[in-house]
């Protein structure tokens, strides 16, 4: 794993959360992107070499809508950047972690992504991601 790429935070109202995090971080949100495959709208803030990703659901079927139907707003996942996502998925599977997709998917911020179930990681949903070049 290279670094924490971003921390995902699930929110109900993206615009309100963006305004709040702009004040908190004293910087402008540099990217707002809808990811139709994940049924989310995302907003990114750069903090040093990592990012904060605010996530709001665009459909009731979204993982974020399901999360927010059971839990309050808050941390949804931690994403680690990797150099070879295919190799890292195989390594993590061999170590007993459970991927939530058979193969990497195209996610936000021009990344290939793969999630791992929080039951294996002390209750924290883990994402690994690799930039698409
Ligand atoms: N962090 C920690 N725990 C979580 C969680 C999260 N983000 N989401 C769900 N859980 C908990 C559930 O509350 C449940 O807990 P209990 O067993 O104590 O009730 C447990 O995990 C297991 O839940 P499940 O029934 O197996 O699965 P869910 O239907 O709740 O789905 C998950 C959970 C993680 C499998 C699903 O959300 C998923 O596949 N996520 C990956 C994709 C994703 O999150 N996309 C949105 C972000 C996209 C982006 O970043 O662009």
């Amino acid at each position: 794993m290279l670094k924490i790429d971003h921390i995902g935070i699930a929110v109900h109202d993206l615009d309100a959360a963006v305004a709040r995090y702009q004040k908190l971080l004293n910087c402008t949100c540099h990217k707002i992107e809808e990811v139709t495959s994940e049924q989310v709208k995302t907003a990114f803030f750069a903090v040093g070499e990592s990012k904060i990703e605010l996530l709001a659901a665009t459909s009731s079927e979204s993982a974020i809508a399901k999360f927010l139907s059971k839990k309050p707003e808050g941390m949804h996942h931690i994403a680690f950047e990797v150099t070879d996502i295919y190799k890292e998925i195989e390594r993590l599977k061999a170590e007993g972690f459970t991927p939530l997709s058979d193969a990497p998917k195209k996610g936000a911020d021009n990344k290939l992504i793969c999630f791992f179930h929080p039951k294996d990681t002390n209750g924290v949903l883990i994402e690994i991601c690799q930039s698409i070049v």
Side-chain angles (χ1 to χ4, degrees):
M1 307 270 180
L2 293 174
K3 64 169 189 183
I4 293 179
D5 183 80
H6 64 269
I7 294 174
I9 297 174
V11 304
H12 288 291
D13 180 337
L14 192 68
D15 291 344
V18 165
R20 192 167 299 119
Y21 272 76
Q22 288 191 153
K23 286 185 201 160
L24 173 75
L25 301 171
N26 198 21
C27 72
T28 310
C29 163
H30 66 269
K31 189 185 278 187
I32 297 219
E33 182 181 353
E34 186 164 337
V35 185
T36 45
S37 56
E38 293 290 327
Q39 298 170 300
V40 292
K41 196 168 173 188
T42 65
F44 284 92
F45 296 84
V47 184
E49 62 172 17
S50 302
K51 283 159 274 176
I52 295 292
E53 178 189 31
L54 302 177
L55 295 144
T58 55
S59 137
S60 57
E61 296 305 307
S62 161
I64 298 300
K66 285 186 192 157
F67 178 84
L68 288 174
S69 70
K70 290 193 215 161
K71 297 176 194 280
E73 291 182 304
M75 200 184 84
H76 181 260
H77 65 267
I78 298 180
F80 297 98
E81 187 180 13
V82 299
T83 40
D84 184 335
I85 195 166
Y86 294 93
K87 223 168 155 176
E88 199 60 21
I89 289 170
E90 291 312 313
R91 186 187 74 78
L92 290 170
K93 276 163 64 176
E95 293 285 4
F97 298 100
T98 312
L100 292 168
S101 58
D102 295 336
K105 297 190 281 185
K106 170 94 172 61
D109 204 24
N110 199 36
K111 295 273 201 307
L112 282 176
I113 62 171
C114 183
F115 285 91
F116 286 83
H117 203 287
K119 73 178 163 59
D120 303 323
T121 45
N122 304 78
V124 178
L125 176 62
I126 300 294
E127 176 188 336
I128 59 171
C129 61
Q130 180 182 353
S131 291
I132 300 169
V133 283

